Amino acid sequence: MILESERRQVVAHAAELAELTPARTGNLSVREGTDGDAFAITPTGVPYDSFDVAETPVVGVDGEQREGEMAPSSEVPMHSAIYRREDVGAIVHTHSPWSTALAVAHQPLPPIHYMIVAVGKEVPVAEYAPYGSDRLAENIVAAMDEAGSTASFIENHGLVVTAPDLETALENTYHVESLARLYLETRSAGLEPRRLSDEQLETVLEKFESYGQ
């Protein structure tokens, strides 16, 4: 069985999507390293807790399915194109409500809280394109590259987060969703969130280099 470890990660963490996105509208994938030529991805149109390792699809970065008893997510073109263009090990895509609210408003998430540095100094908004299209992936990569971010909203669609590994991608998805909620709730209270400066963000980035065990 190819990419068994990556497939096990998909199965183990797929249920977390239910906490982030309505029904079965999200997807995630894990690549073989950060430069491998294939990745495991959630299958299309099934509950997140209803498939096993053998059923988990494996897809090449060329977009062709290589193994797995189920058909892969309809967003394979997005995942494969991002992997072709970015040295990342995992991708999480959700329609999480607070992030999607900013996406439908075409509103980037500014640096209102220091935890934004988990993904960059802002979360940009990628231009809309049909779901499952190569054009969508190109727009996402362009938005992330321009903003120096590892996450992006998608106009009238949702959120994409990339990271070296799946646990980090999921954690950062929660960070973005939490900050999107904080931003929108502050503004809905009639208050204007104050933004951190580049200097303040650089200080946080330096401190993060020695954070944790």
Side-chain angles (χ1 to χ4, degrees):
M1 182 184 295
I2 63 173
L3 271 67
E4 181 173 358
S5 173
E6 288 77 10
R7 293 161 93 169
R8 290 188 182 281
Q9 291 179 61
V10 169
V11 171
H13 292 283
E16 292 184 48
L17 287 172
E19 301 175 15
L20 289 161
T21 197
R24 293 168 284 183
T25 57
N27 42 79
L28 57 80
S29 66
V30 185
R31 189 183 196 178
E32 187 179 26
T34 57
D35 59 358
D37 68 350
F39 55 93
I41 189 169
T42 45
T44 187
V46 299
Y48 301 126
D49 59 355
S50 66
F51 60 96
D52 61 24
V53 174
E55 292 171 322
T56 303
V58 173
V59 180
V61 294
D62 58 2
E64 295 298 319
Q65 185 168 355
R66 297 185 180 180
E67 201 170 279
E69 298 171 12
M70 288 186 169
S73 167
S74 60
E75 293 287 12
V76 157
M78 179 181 73
H79 288 252
S80 57
I82 291 174
Y83 284 130
R84 287 197 299 270
R85 293 165 174 80
E86 299 286 318
D87 293 330
V88 298
I91 298 169
V92 175
H93 169 50
T94 70
H95 298 173
S96 40
W98 296 97
S99 294
T100 304
L102 289 176
V104 301
H106 300 193
Q107 173 67 58
L109 177 63
I112 59 166
H113 189 282
Y114 72 84
M115 278 307 303
I116 200 167
V117 300
V119 296
K121 294 181 179 180
E122 69 170 21
V123 179
V125 184
E127 183 179 352
Y128 179 84
Y131 81 89
S133 67
D134 287 330
R135 181 61 181 169
L136 178 61
E138 292 168 3
N139 293 348
I140 293 167
V141 171
M144 291 193 300
D145 286 351
E146 183 176 352
S149 178
T150 58
S152 178
F153 301 130
I154 312 166
E155 286 184 350
N156 302 93
H157 187 154
L159 169 68
V160 174
V161 177
T162 66
D165 56 76
L166 183 55
E167 289 186 356
T168 302
L170 282 165
E171 181 179 8
N172 289 347
T173 300
Y174 283 106
H175 283 319
V176 173
E177 179 68 356
S178 175
L179 293 179
R181 177 175 183 171
L182 177 64
Y183 180 64
L184 286 167
E185 288 188 332
T186 302
R187 295 197 65 178
S188 69
L191 304 173
E192 184 59 36
R194 295 185 63 178
R195 304 184 182 199
L196 295 171
S197 67
D198 277 348
E199 182 179 358
Q200 289 170 321
L201 293 171
E202 287 296 333
T203 299
V204 176
L205 286 167
E206 291 174 8
K207 290 178 71 66
F208 268 29
E209 290 178 1
S210 59
Y211 178 77
Q213 300 297 315

